[in-house]
Amino acid sequence: MTFADLGLSDELLRAVTEAGYDTPTPIQAQAIPPVLMMRDIIGIAQTGTGKTASFVLPMIDILAHGRARALMPRSLILEPTRELAAQVAENFEKYGKYHKLSMALLIGGVQMGDQVRALEKGVDVLIATPGRLMDLFERGKILLNGCSMLVIDEADRMLDMGFIPDIEQICTKLPAQRQTLLFSATMPPVIKKLADRFLSNPKSIEVARPATASINITQNLVKVDSRKKREALRALLDRQDVHSAVIFCNRKTTVRELNKSLQRHGYRSGEIHGDIDQASRIAELERFRVGTVNILVASDVAARGLDIKGVSHVFNFDAPWHPDDYVHRIGRTGRAGAKGVAFTFVTKDDAEAIDNIQKLIGTQIPYADMPDTGTDAGPPEDAPQERPARAERSKRGKERDGKPGQKAEARAEETRREEPRRQERPARPPEPRRAPRHAERDDGPDDGWNGPVPEFLSVGFSG
Ligand code: AMP
């Protein structure tokens, strides 16, 4: 099967060829023809399967004819996080380069002015996170009754983040006569109910999870003492041929502390987590993309679905609490046919988490040798920050990115209320006593950036 067999226009086929794809992925092969025939779709697929192109490509052809009117987007794509929204926008740019379609991105954490101006001009494609969209809708800055196509992407993550009520509301504002595409990695009952209520005679398509099917990722467990994780990580980073790595931690505080520690030890590392404002997150990702830093320390929410080419290693500094997160995390490497390596640190408290992961992926992950950490001259690993007092531990527990039970609130909060949270945060802690070996920031002008949205995020594309 080739892309030409799917019924796409010549302009799109050209853009797809230039993107370097020759064969459609299973979700693309199964979804594109029915979407072009205006069918509703339920796609059970996750990031890494090529699902973005499976809706972006046919949408471009469907929207190719017709004109956008002020404040009335012709199509709407809902994404749970800003990063995913930005990634979909990039996909539109890439595939839509031979079409004259306009696009706007509505995401929290960036100024509204440019977003509103783009809407006023009229857009063919609106890509939004639910919180910001509802915000603008309630201010009367946007009308949804001209929107004949709706994509609800990563529906199960929307559920985790507490967005389902917003999505239900948004669905009721759109015209009843529309095409709706819903994508989700899993189909919990709430999502099934949402689909039953808002989709009409949908075609269901299910493709295999990439991580379970992927033979491109070599997975390893590493037994560590919880007080020696940093040493073990440095030993692995030094021993492995790390081109670029994403290191996942379960808590935002751990992300911050680990990044500082790595920088103190001379590594070129950066960090992303929910407490970092949007502009800095974009800047940090860009630094990672272009190789200014080659290590990105991340929380699950901030790194969800990130599509960065050539990540050679994923390290789970903390074993994830949710087995699904394991699949998402390691899926940051081994992308688009490349080889990848994943290491997961296992302390004596992680037995159950590892057991659940192995059940989910259906294989036993082998233990790698413990790296030699004996001669390291780094800061003492049982320093107070590693063994916080009880009050501090309980405070940290509250800011976990994905703690069960608090997950929905915390994650929704993270995406929707970035500005207020930033203002409420206490002043930054004093700088570490020891000067970092490398200049800590080389993204000067972007620091504290409050200007317009970068071009690829806000403006339309045209051929
Ligand atoms: P997604 O699941 O949409 O996040 O896509 C995962 C990755 O696969 C992205 O890097 C895409 O650029 C890439 N991709 C999408 N479609 C294809 C294809 N047909 N052939 C090769 N790579 C693809």
Side-chain angles (χ1 to χ4, degrees):
M1 159 110 35
T2 66
F3 278 101
D5 298 328
L6 301 179
L8 296 167
S9 66
D10 289 344
E11 291 87 346
L12 271 182
L13 293 179
R14 227 166 107 204
V16 164
T17 307
E18 285 171 20
Y21 312 151
D22 46 18
T23 316
T25 66
I27 185 81
Q28 292 162 2
Q30 292 176 66
I32 291 173
V35 176
L36 285 173
M37 284 187 267
M38 313 303 287
R39 284 280 305 265
D40 282 6
I41 297 280
I42 296 177
I44 304 183
Q46 56 182 191
T47 48
T49 55
K51 79 171 155 64
T52 315
S54 80
F55 61 83
V56 168
L57 289 171
M59 276 181 86
I60 291 173
D61 267 350
I62 290 170
L63 295 168
H65 306 288
R67 271 196 53 195
R69 291 160 59 190
L71 303 183
M72 293 178 78
R74 295 172 62 209
S75 66
L76 171 66
I77 299 173
L78 293 173
E79 292 290 335
T81 66
R82 306 145 180 186
E83 280 78 12
L84 281 171
Q87 242 165 244
V88 172
E90 282 183 86
N91 272 258
F92 256 100
E93 283 207 318
K94 183 160 66 175
Y95 306 134
K97 64 204 251 196
Y98 298 115
H99 285 78
K100 286 189 193 307
L101 292 174
S102 58
M103 168 181 73
L105 189 62
L106 289 192
I107 49 177
V110 293
Q111 282 187 342
M112 260 191 210
D114 292 324
Q115 302 180 352
V116 171
R117 274 189 289 281
L119 284 172
E120 281 167 355
K121 276 196 222 152
V123 294
D124 297 297
V125 185
L126 180 62
I127 305 165
T129 49
R132 177 54 67 99
L133 180 74
M134 286 305 289
D135 208 354
L136 279 177
F137 184 82
E138 278 156 15
R139 291 167 194 230
K141 301 280 185 204
I142 182 167
L143 300 168
L144 293 173
N145 45 344
C147 205
S148 59
M149 218 177 165
L150 170 68
V151 178
I152 304 167
D153 196 16
E154 303 261 337
D156 52 351
R157 187 50 53 144
M158 299 274 201
L159 173 66
D160 280 353
M161 296 176 73
F163 282 145
I164 297 301
D166 282 348
I167 291 175
E168 286 174 341
Q169 271 221 48
I170 292 166
C171 284
T172 59
K173 317 273 182 228
L174 264 66
Q177 282 293 327
R178 61 157 195 270
Q179 186 178 14
T180 308
L181 317 177
L182 182 144
F183 292 89
S184 192
T186 55
M187 214 11 96
V190 178
I191 302 298
K192 175 85 182 55
K193 246 171 77 188
L194 184 82
D196 288 345
R197 186 165 162 212
F198 292 110
L199 274 69
S200 143
N201 186 26
K203 182 176 168 57
S204 285
I205 296 164
E206 183 163 359
V207 298
R209 307 175 85 86
T212 48
S214 176
I215 46 164
N216 291 332
I217 305 168
T218 309
Q219 303 174 56
N220 301 277
L221 300 178
V222 181
K223 239 180 219 146
V224 286
D225 182 322
S226 59
R227 291 164 304 174
K228 302 236 162 151
K229 281 184 173 183
R230 293 188 195 172
E231 281 175 83
L233 176 67
R234 292 195 300 272
L236 275 175
L237 285 171
D238 296 343
R239 199 173 69 163
Q240 290 278 314
D241 186 15
V242 175
H243 171 261
S244 62
V246 182
I247 302 173
F248 285 96
C249 307
N250 290 352
R251 298 176 176 87
K252 288 177 263 189
T253 12
T254 319
V255 171
R256 280 191 289 263
E257 287 169 2
L258 179 60
N259 181 33
K260 275 197 196 126
S261 160
L262 286 168
Q263 289 178 346
R264 276 201 301 269
H265 281 86
Y267 294 93
R268 289 184 294 122
S269 63
E271 65 184 59
I272 53 166
H273 55 76
D275 276 354
I276 294 180
D277 66 85
Q278 175 64 5
S280 306
R281 261 151 92 166
I282 291 173
E284 199 70 344
L285 282 177
E286 197 49 30
R287 281 168 19 111
F288 186 60
R289 244 185 249 276
V290 301
T292 310
V293 297
N294 70 335
I295 295 172
L296 190 65
V297 190
S299 68
D300 287 295
V301 171
R304 165 94 185 181
L306 283 185
D307 183 21
I308 294 169
K309 297 245 162 16
V311 173
S312 64
H313 287 71
V314 165
F315 294 92
N316 290 316
F317 188 77
D318 299 311
W321 287 304
H322 302 284
D324 265 357
D325 283 336
Y326 177 81
V327 175
H328 288 295
R329 287 179 179 191
I330 71 166
R332 297 317 99 213
T333 182
R335 293 175 85 76
K339 295 269 180 233
V341 185
F343 286 95
T344 300
F345 283 173
V346 185
T347 68
K348 61 180 170 35
D349 300 324
D350 297 325
E352 194 186 332
I354 299 299
D355 203 36
N356 290 336
I357 289 166
Q358 297 190 136
K359 273 192 202 127
L360 175 76
I361 63 171
T363 53
Q364 294 288 311
I365 311 168
Y367 274 92
D369 292 340
M370 174 69 187
D372 177 11
T373 57
T375 56
D376 196 282
E381 294 302 321
D382 54 354
Q385 72 266 31
E386 284 289 329
R387 297 180 63 79
R390 187 188 292 180
E392 179 63 7
R393 273 205 305 271
S394 102
K395 195 176 105 215
R396 288 177 185 190
K398 286 186 187 134
E399 74 159 329
R400 286 171 182 185
D401 265 352
K403 186 180 174 188
Q406 293 181 337
K407 193 167 59 168
E409 279 308 313
R411 289 186 171 177
E413 185 72 7
E414 179 158 320
T415 299
R416 301 158 76 180
R417 309 263 180 250
E418 198 72 10
E419 291 299 326
R421 270 157 59 91
R422 254 185 20 237
Q423 284 153 15
E424 282 158 20
R425 262 193 299 148
R428 286 175 75 82
E431 288 299 312
R433 265 171 296 152
R434 221 165 0 139
R437 273 185 220 175
H438 297 294
E440 260 190 312
R441 300 192 68 92
D442 56 4
D443 53 352
D446 285 338
D447 195 15
W449 173 82
N450 196 25
V453 185
E455 195 176 6
F456 84 92
L457 295 182
S458 69
V459 210
F461 53 85
S462 57

